[in-house]
Amino acid sequence: MNPLRALARWRRRHRTLPLLGDTRLRGEREAGLLRWSVKVLGAEMAQRHYAAGLAGPAAPVPAGPVHLGLASRTCRQADIEHDWLRHWARILGTPPVYHRKLWEDAFVLQAAWEAGMLSPGRRALGFAVGREALPAILAAHGVEVVATDLDAGDARARDWIETGQHGQAVEALYRPKVLARAEFDRLVSFRPADMARLPESLQQRGFDLVWSVCAMEHLGSLERGLDFVMAAMRCLKPGGLALHTTEFNLDGAGGTVGRGSTVLYQRRHLEWLAARLAAEGHRMLPLDDNQGPGMLDRFIDLAPLLESEGPPLGPLFPPHLRLSVQGYPVTSAGILVVSGGA
């Protein structure tokens, strides 16, 4: 199979050849057009919701944060249209758009605020922070932040560096519109750390809050991601809060991706995690995986088009609350765990 896979990769990189022209088969060309059409329809639905003021730049923004009683949950359309997310979208510097990655950042901030963690004197530890705005926002609330990411010299960091998603130093985390430089330098520090082998120096129960966004699914297997969550609990003080977002396969009864660069968790895996946490005295708040009644809750976005796979008819911005990953319907899930301090 390896030669066949190599040939498939070569064909994806060489869509046209000087003498042969377009190397794609008819079915491949039509599949590209179908993906394009799906995105067009999704973008049209999203634009109508934005025009109605349900989300987007025209949506009203509350004067401050709104209490929700957040627990572990999956992303859904109603969240994007709710005041709780609109507030954090403003803090993050973006309109409330139908995108699950915005939801993930907002989930962390909302849960931390509701737990009283966004206040001076708190200490927070972030994993695989890349170039997130979260360290600066936490610091703007007086929180002392230790931000971590893979060492830049680690071969596993290469893809993240090439795509601009890796945090190689504290400089990548500074947001001048969020807080003054002197205050940022006082409260935010950076150190390399491997999520698969957390340094003992971090596992001393010295933090009030730990978080990771879109990270635990990239450790190579379902088990490694769950092992990371367990290890991260040893970084928390008693009563501390762990917040993690990850890829969630909405098809709980079917198959999933259990190994590889991106794995897909199902409800049963998170229920197993909750049981493991409980056995060590911690409490994971129950998972609400209601898929939501909205039209955009039922729209499944497809992988981005390659330049040669669709007509150049201008940019499209379809809703991205659900995504097909290897044919599985995927969204984002947020996990909220309270440390028992065992």
Side-chain angles (χ1 to χ4, degrees), residues 15 24 36 304-312:
R15 292 295 185 182
R24 294 175 299 167
W36 177 269
L305 292 166
L306 298 175
E307 184 177 352
S308 60
E309 285 189 307

Side-chain angles (χ1 to χ4, degrees), residues 88 91-92 109 118 133-143 175 178-179:
W88 296 114
I91 299 299
L92 288 159
L109 291 169
L118 298 189
L134 295 181
I137 293 172
L138 293 175
H141 286 80
V143 179
R175 299 293 188 276
V178 174
L179 77 169

Side-chain angles (χ1 to χ4, degrees), residues 25-26 34 84 89 98 118 127 168 182 200-201 218 223 228 252 254 312 335:
L25 302 175
R26 173 182 171 179
L34 180 60
W84 79 264
Y98 295 108
L118 298 189
F127 298 101
Q168 301 182 57
E200 287 295 328
S201 59
H218 299 306
E223 293 79 9
F228 154 71
I335 303 166

Side-chain angles (χ1 to χ4, degrees), residues 154-313:
D154 192 308
R156 292 169 296 171
R158 184 171 57 244
D159 288 344
W160 302 106
I161 293 172
E162 290 176 353
T163 56
Q165 300 178 73
H166 182 268
Q168 301 182 57
V170 72
E171 186 65 34
L173 306 174
Y174 177 54
R175 299 293 188 276
K177 294 183 180 180
V178 174
L179 77 169
R181 184 65 202 230
E183 191 71 355
F184 176 84
D185 290 339
R186 182 177 72 85
L187 290 171
V188 180
S189 61
F190 177 86
R191 60 167 294 175
D194 183 352
M195 290 172 60
R197 292 182 292 274
L198 295 185
E200 287 295 328
S201 59
L202 294 178
Q203 300 184 65
Q204 302 300 317
R205 304 195 183 281
F207 295 92
D208 300 285
L209 172 71
V210 300
W211 88 86
S212 71
V213 172
C214 187
M216 59 183 281
E217 67 268 24
H218 299 306
L219 296 179
S221 71
L222 294 166
E223 293 79 9
R224 288 177 185 172
L226 301 183
D227 288 345
F228 154 71
V229 174
M230 299 301 299
M233 297 306 296
R234 295 192 286 273
C235 303
L236 283 171
K237 299 175 183 179
L241 191 67
L243 299 168
H244 305 287
T245 68
T246 190
E247 304 283 13
F248 185 82
N249 183 352
L250 290 163
D251 182 4
T256 196
V257 180
R259 291 189 174 275
S261 58
T262 302
V263 300
L264 307 177
Y265 290 94
Q266 295 166 297
R267 167 175 271 277
R268 60 192 174 95
H269 303 118
L270 299 187
E271 288 176 343
W272 182 40
L273 173 62
R276 288 180 63 185
L277 288 162
E280 295 195 5
H282 310 302
R283 180 170 62 94
M284 176 175 146
L285 272 63
L287 174 67
D288 176 2
D289 61 350
N290 185 310
Q291 295 191 23
M295 176 69 73
L296 303 185
D297 291 318
R298 290 172 283 168
F299 175 82
I300 299 177
D301 195 14
L302 298 176
L305 292 166
L306 298 175
E307 184 177 352
S308 60
E309 285 189 307
L313 299 180

